[in-house]
Every structure is written in C-alpha cells, then in structure tokens.
Amino acid sequence: MRDRKPPTTPGRLAAAAGACLLLGTASVAAGPVGAAQATPASPAARRAPASQCGSAYRIEQKLDGGTVWRMCWHYESHAGLVLDGISYQPKGERAPIKVLTSAKLAQIHVPYDDGSVEYDDLTGQGFAQGLQQLDPAECPGGTIKTVRVPGAWDPDHPEVKGLCATTRARGHTYRMAGERPGKVYQAQGRDLLVYTVNQVGWYEYITEWRFAGDGTMTMQVGATGTLSPMDYDAGDGRGWPIGKGAKDYATSHSHNVFWRLNFGLDGSPKSRVEQYDSTTSQAPGQLPKTRTTRTQVTKELAGDAAPARWWRVVSTAGKNKDGHPRSYEIVPGHTTRYPGRSYTRHDVYVTEYNKCEQFASNNLANCGARAGKSVDKWVNGQTLKHPIVWVNIGFHHIARDEDQEPMPVHWQGFQLSPRDVTAMNPLTPPALSSHNGHTE
C-alpha cells in the first residue's frame, strides 16, 4: 500500500472500517470539550451563526483597521474541521456582513503515476481521525482549542488539542505615495488564521483558513511530513531518483484538493453566479482592445479556469453603500489539473444544494440510484437557486532530494476576494475617506 503509514495502534484500520459501517450516511460532528462544558453542543448550536453558538465553538477576532471576523466551528468524522456562519464586519459597517453558511474540505484525492493505487484521503483513509495535537509554539499568540473527534479510533483518547486560532503577519495591506513630498500612506496587517493538522499515512496536511482585514479569505492546504519509505520502487521510469546515485526512485503522485463552499451572502442562500471572459483583438494600425463579457450562470456548471476568465458569487439580498450588489470573486491559485478522473478534469463546479452531496469523490451518502458518487455527476442541468461552489486545486508531486526530511510544506489553494462588499477599501485612512468615485 503506497504512501500509507502503518497503523500506530493495534487494530486501527479495522476499527476505522467498523466505524464507517456503523456511521453509514449519518453526519457526525463534535467540538471542544472543556471544564465548563462536558459534552458537545447540539447540532443546531454547532451550525448556528457566530453570534449564537456557544463560546467553545466561537471564533471572533478584531484585526488592525477595525475589521471583525466571526464564525463558529465543528468537527466532522470524515471532513474534519468545518467553519460555519462566517461573517465579516469592517469598520464603518453597523452590522456583520454574512458571507458563508459553511466551508470545509470536500476531498483530497491522491492517485499514483504508475497506476498502482489511488486514495480518497477524507472518505477512505481516515483524514479526520488523524487530527494532530498542536504544540503551543505552533500557535503563537493564539488559542489552541480541544476537539472531540467523532468515532475516535482510540476511544480512550477522543479529545485532541488540535485547532489553532491566532493572527499572523500579512505584510503590506496597502501603500500609496501622498500628494505632499515624503508623505506615504501604508499599513502592515495581520490575518486571522484558523488551522488544523491531520496525518494520513506518511503525510501531514496543514489545513489553513486565513481572513484579512480587507475581507479577503485564503483557503489552502499544505502537505508535509515525509516521503513514504515503501515507495522507492518506481522502476518504470515514472519516479525520481532520491538518495545516492540512481538506485532508488520515489514514485510520483498527485494531490487533488477540493473545497465545498455554501455561500450565504447577506444571510440568503439565493446567490447568483456570474462568469466573466475577456478577449483581446487588434485592428491594423490600432492599439489592442480588450472586451470583457458577463455570462449569468443559471444552470449547474463544470467550469474550466482560463487566463482571462473568472467567476463571482453575487448577493441577491444586500448592497454596499454605493448601491452595488455585494459579491465575492473566486481566485484559483496555481493548479496542475489531473485528467485521470472525470471529477478532476474541471477547476470549479457549481451545483444546486443537496444535503446528500458532501464529498467531491467517493461521496459516502447514498444520493439515489443514478446520482453518482462524485461532483461531476451532480452537474446535470438543474436551475441554480441555492448554489454550492466546489473548487479543485491540483498539485503533481514529483519528489526531490530536498523532500528529505521533514518534507518542506508544498501549498495549494485559492482565495475569495471581496468585490463591492464595501463602498471603499475598508482599511482606507481617514485622510482619504472622501475619495470615493471620480476625484479631481
């Protein structure tokens, strides 16, 4: 079995298989347990808006510039960490702006180049069960929350100090030379960082959720740990020589990470989705011209990223102070698209909400005889009333000598960038607060 670490406790794999059978299609979730709260909160509390969930499940952070992010969290038996009721309140807004009803990982698909094996790490390899305990040095200035792991493989130790909520330096949030000589407007910011570490085999996945003062959200997964010592047998030419000479070849493989985003902009699930495409043309003797067109995405979509294409999710329930509908733009990071499976051949999927559809591949629940087990099968022409966005970012891991040991973190992810959520940059300094729209 490639790339999988042997069980650390006797019978661990058997226990995991038994747990999967017992759980069936039920959604199992839990959160931290402290002295003041002996048992997990109710499912309703776990999924409540951040203003309503219990303190043990609430994350709230005020950032430089006055922005406040609020959210709840819970922990599921396969997906791991789930963030609920995410809202953003920049300075000058009288109430929090609701953004996401829920956000979570939807799969980490790992196929090997030689065709020998492939894994669905969330639904088939115990991702959530591998939650790692964090050292205080890994969460500087923050709080490490205790997580109760549902259906823990080690029932005597179901609680793990495994969720960090802290802040981390972002660098420049903006910089602009002023009209007076030597005058510079600039600010250095910090993001709210929420993360867990989950071990699957020889890999450790760092799942980060970052929230910035200007409303930007960054979702990324970093793979680290070590190369599997059993995978130095790629004698078919697909691997890479690791170590002395050219004797041992580490087997190359892919990490295809999916996220599932349930938007709730301004408190409504009835968002619109729009696709924008730009084309450039040039007539003889003239400068090039670029034209951007908008397409309303009214039906379910399997979308392919392109250099001049982007998507946004638009609120139907609220506008900013300039009267423009609030929206968030999907900004994919670098990706290596894996063509080996139908569900990895597209970068963004938009499906109509279905409670049963939770994982991008090897979906655990039975959604019907012809529903299929992967996200591509759910794009079947339904009209979008409550769109769910799935983002797929791939990484082709061809090992290198520097991966020994520990392996440097390799990141893959994307951003959600605010577009007209506020009338101006929410971090604008007071001296420039009147510069909204055309200025002379």
Side-chain angles (χ1 to χ4, degrees), residues 93 225 262 281 342 357 363:
E93 293 290 337
N262 183 358
S281 61
S342 57
E357 297 168 357
N363 190 54

Side-chain angles (χ1 to χ4, degrees), residues 1 16 26 49 70 84 99 108 131 159 165 184 218 265 278 281 283 433:
M1 183 178 290
R70 298 178 178 89
D84 301 301
V99 181
I108 301 177
L131 181 66
E159 297 171 14
V184 174
T218 302
L265 283 168
S278 299
S281 61
S433 61

